[in-house]
Amino acid sequence: MLALLALYIVLLIPESEPPQPKGAGKEPFRWNRDAFWKELETRLREARGLTPEERLARFDAAFEKVQSALNRVAETRLPPDAPEFDTLEAAFFDLAPVAAVCPERLPNLHAAAGRMRHLVKWQSEQWPGTEEARRRLYRLLYGSRAAVEEVLLQVPPTTNALEGADSYDHQQTPSAEMLGLKIHSGDILVSRGGAATSALIARGNDYPGNFSHIALVHVDEQTRKVSVIESHIESGVSVRPIEPYLAETKLRIMVLRLRGNLPAMVADPLLPHRAASRALSNSLARHIPYDFAMEHSDPSKQFCSEVATAAYQPLGITLWTHLSQLSTRGVTSWLAALGVRNFESQEPSDLEYDPQLRVVAEWRDPDALLKDHVDNAVIDVMLERAERGEKLSYNRWMLPVARLAKAWSVLLNCFGKVGPIPEGMSATVALRADKLTQDHGDLTAWLNPQVQAFRTQHGYTPPYWELVRMAREAQQGLVMRRRLGMQAPASP
């Protein structure tokens, strides 16, 4: 008994805390438009009071302004600071409130968003790799997606895949059908999972985004079998059929494809297939552990983004023309506590802004879209706590148990199996990840009834800025409840 107690005490000795990281040293993007967002919500409430004829007339007038702005952007190459882009951004945001009350015009909105994305990506092909260009891309591409999703949350659920591969995307690589779309070998799948860590990956960025995972598609030229090469925290790089990939919780999926007019693609139209084949053979030939440090220049270990990078880099294609930046004290502190050591890296969300890639399609699960937004709002509010200096804590009394689980995991790893704590993750990091998940679940459980109450009271789904406000209030209520010794509501 004394021996067990002594072992418990030894295993209870904590690891040293990671030093406060410097981060990327950049200035994170801020919209700083709270008054404008509230004005858009006021316009939504006003539009809800219009007659059907008045709604359609107002939509058509706003839509015409968007089309006019798009036509001007399509006329000639423009620098990123061109006023035409300001006009386009304003016109698209102005369209959203009335689009939210005109579900019959949803195809028009999707068409405008798709054309906007195509033209902005086309314009960005000639832009320098400056911070100004990056901010313009983010404002237009992330902003238009955010506007479309606010509309989707107000209209009846509908299929909303944004398809529309352009002329550059007709490739000679092997292809197969996926969800009604032809995908090609070498395509990149960018997705969003439903876990708290997925929300942290998507939002913990100088340019907060929507995606948390990257995977590479391989299509066999003989059998047309579709495989997915990806890296998971639990097991590192692996290959599996497309069906289990799609069966997992995916709040959204986007398909990216190399532009067909890139010089490297003109010289070798099968380049994407060769990249995918390279990734497939490498992953089958050796075990590639997960890269918790996010060191994108070292392919010996790979996090999800590195799977695509390591496949294309040897063939002359350098993805992520803008490296992702993580600069704020709170984000870097929490990510460092989870094992990250590099804060200029390759975040999944930022791959969309690479001008070498076209967006072929994007699916959003209508039933999961609100969960996506709630998860984002909750993690944003949690990161506000991090910015105030709150550490990512863990249950220290569970450390001996976690260390025993880690020892068992190491033994299983020696035989090529997956243990309860992932390879490369310490027991302390595992406990911190569990605490993050628990806190996120508690806050979400507290917030969800407020979201439903808002819907009942106002007749529409709360937009994102309202979700953030309610998440802050929920956080205050949860803190007060814990101070009084009361349990949090059960996590969903």
Side-chain angles (χ1 to χ4, degrees):
M1 186 67 181
L2 289 177
L4 289 176
L5 180 60
L7 177 62
Y8 180 83
I9 292 174
V10 170
L11 293 176
L12 198 59
I13 299 173
E15 299 174 13
S16 59
E17 290 288 327
Q20 175 61 42
K22 294 182 179 179
K26 304 294 183 180
E27 184 64 30
F29 177 84
R30 310 287 187 195
W31 282 100
N32 293 325
R33 304 195 69 185
D34 290 351
F36 179 66
W37 308 141
K38 293 298 293 183
E39 180 186 344
L40 291 180
E41 188 176 356
T42 300
R43 294 184 197 175
L44 169 63
R45 290 197 295 267
E46 178 188 353
R48 286 169 53 83
L50 299 175
T51 66
E53 294 77 15
E54 290 171 332
R55 294 178 181 184
L56 293 177
R58 188 168 295 188
F59 177 93
D60 292 342
F63 185 73
E64 180 58 36
K65 291 181 180 179
V66 171
Q67 291 294 85
S68 178
L70 287 170
N71 290 339
R72 288 195 293 273
V73 170
E75 288 173 355
T76 185
R77 296 284 190 175
L78 298 167
D81 63 348
E84 287 85 349
F85 294 121
D86 295 319
T87 301
L88 175 58
E89 178 186 305
F92 202 87
F93 278 135
D94 287 343
L95 176 63
V98 67
V101 296
C102 295
E104 61 269 55
R105 292 287 196 264
L106 192 58
N108 303 75
L109 180 70
H110 280 315
R115 187 184 178 207
M116 180 175 175
R117 180 151 56 184
H118 170 76
L119 288 174
V120 171
K121 294 282 286 190
W122 170 70
Q123 290 282 358
S124 73
E125 293 171 17
Q126 307 297 319
W127 290 353
T130 62
E131 199 64 22
E132 179 183 44
R134 184 174 187 175
R135 286 175 179 266
R136 178 64 79 182
L137 268 168
Y138 181 77
R139 291 184 71 102
L140 293 171
L141 296 184
Y142 177 85
S144 60
R145 176 187 286 108
V148 168
E149 291 183 3
E150 293 298 345
V151 172
L152 292 175
L153 287 173
Q154 308 305 331
V155 300
T158 180
T159 178
N160 46 55
L162 296 185
E163 300 183 14
D166 56 49
S167 58
Y168 292 141
D169 293 323
H170 297 304
Q171 296 195 357
Q172 301 176 27
T173 50
S175 62
E177 292 292 319
M178 182 190 83
L179 300 178
L181 175 78
K182 181 181 288 187
I183 59 169
H184 286 260
S185 195
D187 283 355
I188 300 172
L189 303 179
V190 193
S191 62
R192 169 65 179 274
T197 49
S198 298
L200 178 61
I201 292 169
R203 305 302 294 175
N205 191 339
D206 284 3
Y207 292 84
N210 298 103
F211 299 94
S212 60
H213 188 61
I214 294 283
L216 191 63
V217 173
H218 178 271
V219 180
D220 187 276
E221 58 266 37
Q222 301 299 325
T223 66
R224 302 298 167 175
K225 175 185 176 182
V226 181
S227 299
V228 176
I229 308 108
E230 57 190 333
S231 184
H232 284 292
I233 289 174
E234 297 80 7
S235 56
V237 179
S238 63
V239 180
R240 58 176 174 165
I242 188 70
E243 290 79 13
Y245 169 88
L246 295 174
E248 289 180 342
T249 300
K250 296 282 190 301
L251 305 184
R252 60 177 78 233
I253 303 175
M254 180 169 62
V255 182
L256 296 176
R257 184 174 300 159
L258 278 182
R259 284 172 27 222
N261 63 347
L262 288 173
M265 286 288 292
V266 173
D268 180 9
L270 292 178
L271 186 151
H273 180 55
R274 292 204 295 119
S277 299
R278 178 188 183 89
L280 182 71
S281 61
N282 285 344
S283 61
L284 294 176
R286 66 182 179 92
H287 172 58
I288 305 175
Y290 189 86
D291 181 9
F292 287 94
M294 291 178 60
E295 178 50 76
H296 67 277
S297 61
D298 179 8
S300 62
K301 296 180 180 180
Q302 296 177 10
F303 64 100
C304 65
S305 299
E306 288 180 276
V307 172
T309 299
Y312 276 105
Q313 184 77 47
L315 301 181
I317 300 293
T318 301
L319 299 175
W320 277 272
T321 52
H322 295 285
L323 281 178
S324 305
Q325 300 161 354
L326 298 89
S327 301
T328 66
R329 181 182 68 168
V331 167
T332 55
S333 173
W334 279 23
L335 289 175
L338 293 173
V340 176
R341 296 293 177 263
N342 296 278
F343 299 97
E344 235 178 333
S345 192
Q346 299 171 332
E347 291 281 336
S349 289
D350 288 340
L351 188 58
E352 177 187 4
Y353 310 126
D354 189 329
Q356 301 170 104
L357 298 165
R358 293 293 189 209
V359 177
V360 179
E362 181 176 349
W363 291 270
R364 303 175 185 87
D365 181 344
D367 296 328
L369 187 56
L370 181 57
K371 170 179 166 48
D372 176 290
H373 283 217
V374 168
D375 283 355
N376 286 352
V378 167
I379 208 70
D380 281 353
V381 169
M382 292 175 66
L383 287 173
E384 290 176 357
R385 290 161 35 197
E387 295 303 321
R388 294 193 293 268
E390 183 175 322
K391 300 293 185 181
L392 187 56
S393 62
Y394 64 95
N395 184 350
R396 182 180 168 185
W397 301 109
M398 288 297 297
L399 187 54
V401 177
R403 281 175 166 162
L404 291 175
K406 178 60 182 178
W408 174 242
S409 299
V410 171
L411 181 62
L412 290 176
N413 295 158
C414 292
F415 294 95
K417 297 182 179 180
V418 177
I421 296 181
E423 178 186 17
M425 177 185 283
S426 71
T428 302
V429 169
L431 289 175
R432 288 191 181 114
D434 286 346
K435 186 62 163 57
L436 174 73
T437 299
Q438 178 185 338
D439 287 352
H440 188 276
D442 289 346
L443 187 49
T444 301
W446 188 279
L447 177 60
N448 280 330
Q450 297 184 41
V451 173
Q452 298 306 319
F454 185 100
R455 279 175 149 174
T456 301
Q457 179 181 355
H458 298 282
Y460 60 91
T461 300
Y464 191 72
W465 50 91
E466 291 287 351
L467 291 176
V468 171
R469 177 189 62 79
M470 288 189 288
R472 290 185 183 126
E473 293 178 354
Q475 177 63 54
Q476 294 172 359
L478 191 57
V479 169
M480 183 62 66
R481 193 180 185 101
R482 285 173 174 169
R483 286 176 179 171
L484 296 173
M486 302 170 65
Q487 289 187 343
S491 300

